[in-house]
Amino acid sequence: MSQSEPSSSAPASDAHLREDTLTSEAVYRGHFLELRRDRVALPDGREATREYVVHPGAVMIVAILPDGRLVMERQFRYPVRQTMIEFPAGKLDAGEGGLACAQRELLEETGYRAGRWAKAGVMHPVIGYATEVIEVWFADDLSLGERHLDEGEFLDVFTATQQELEDWMRDGQLTDAKTVVGMMWLLQWRAGRWPLQWQTV
């Protein structure tokens, strides 16, 4: 069977790709994650199983100091058994908006408050097996106070230049996907290609 040529633009409808849920069950419910197993109807009429993690959503903050350096964290991530270099981030509490979460997480993890905020966009980091959506926020006009880590949370806060982060990405020292996406936004914004709508809070 021959294949058609790829389209040069997105089709008007995605009905020929959609999968419809037939049944859904919770396999496991943890402290904040839930694992579900669904039976779905495929576009060709057959059925298949889909397993995925339900995540409450999260935010990530690209916090910029007056000299242009960026507020960063080093944290041990148990699933990959590595200490990772990351932009500050955290999950949404129930009913919490993205900006409120970003303000809370930046203060709790780093001790910084920001006088200006801008929402850059959203990202879906693991579309193959999780519902997680991360809002990307920028923050500047920073003032340093006291941080308030959650119980059982251990992380180092440090600052780095854009060039240092670029070098670490190139050399494989910075591999966290959300931080890589944050760097992409930062580079595009600083190049004048992707403007941000700042708000004073």
Side-chain angles (χ1 to χ4, degrees), residues 19-186:
E19 300 176 356
D20 296 318
T21 306
L22 301 174
T23 63
S24 183
E25 63 172 323
V27 177
Y28 170 78
R29 286 191 176 95
H31 177 62
F32 77 98
L33 294 177
E34 178 180 333
L35 175 62
R36 299 198 68 85
R37 180 186 296 121
D38 291 3
R39 196 72 182 163
V40 302
L42 299 174
D44 64 2
R46 293 180 296 168
E47 295 183 7
T49 299
R50 298 288 183 252
E51 295 177 344
Y52 60 97
V53 173
V54 178
H55 189 284
V59 300
M60 179 188 69
I61 306 103
V62 181
I64 307 167
L65 291 164
D67 65 0
R69 295 176 68 85
L70 302 151
V71 178
M72 305 299 299
E73 298 177 353
R74 293 178 69 253
Q75 186 172 8
F76 185 80
R77 294 298 191 175
Y78 184 81
V80 295
R81 308 300 201 275
Q82 292 184 51
T83 298
M84 307 294 283
I85 297 170
E86 307 174 48
F87 284 125
K91 68 179 181 66
L92 292 162
D93 287 342
E96 187 176 37
L99 176 57
C101 181
Q103 291 171 315
R104 175 179 57 78
E105 287 290 346
L106 183 65
L107 178 62
E108 288 179 356
E109 293 189 352
T110 72
Y112 281 101
R113 296 180 188 271
R116 294 201 315 160
W117 290 86
K119 183 178 179 180
V122 299
M123 61 172 290
H124 295 82
V126 283
I127 56 175
Y129 60 86
T131 65
E132 184 177 9
V133 178
I134 300 176
E135 294 186 9
V136 180
W137 285 86
F138 277 59
D140 71 1
D141 189 17
L142 301 182
S143 59
L144 182 59
E146 184 179 353
R147 64 179 184 164
H148 304 277
L149 295 176
D150 292 336
E151 184 178 352
E153 187 175 31
F154 303 90
L155 57 87
D156 292 336
V157 178
F158 68 104
T159 63
T161 65
Q162 175 182 304
Q163 187 61 58
E164 286 174 322
L165 295 178
E166 290 185 63
D167 292 345
W168 296 338
M169 288 168 55
R170 180 199 61 211
D171 297 339
Q173 295 174 264
L174 193 169
T175 60
D176 172 58
K178 66 182 183 301
T179 302
V180 171
V181 169
M183 279 294 295
M184 177 196 71
W185 276 97
L186 178 70

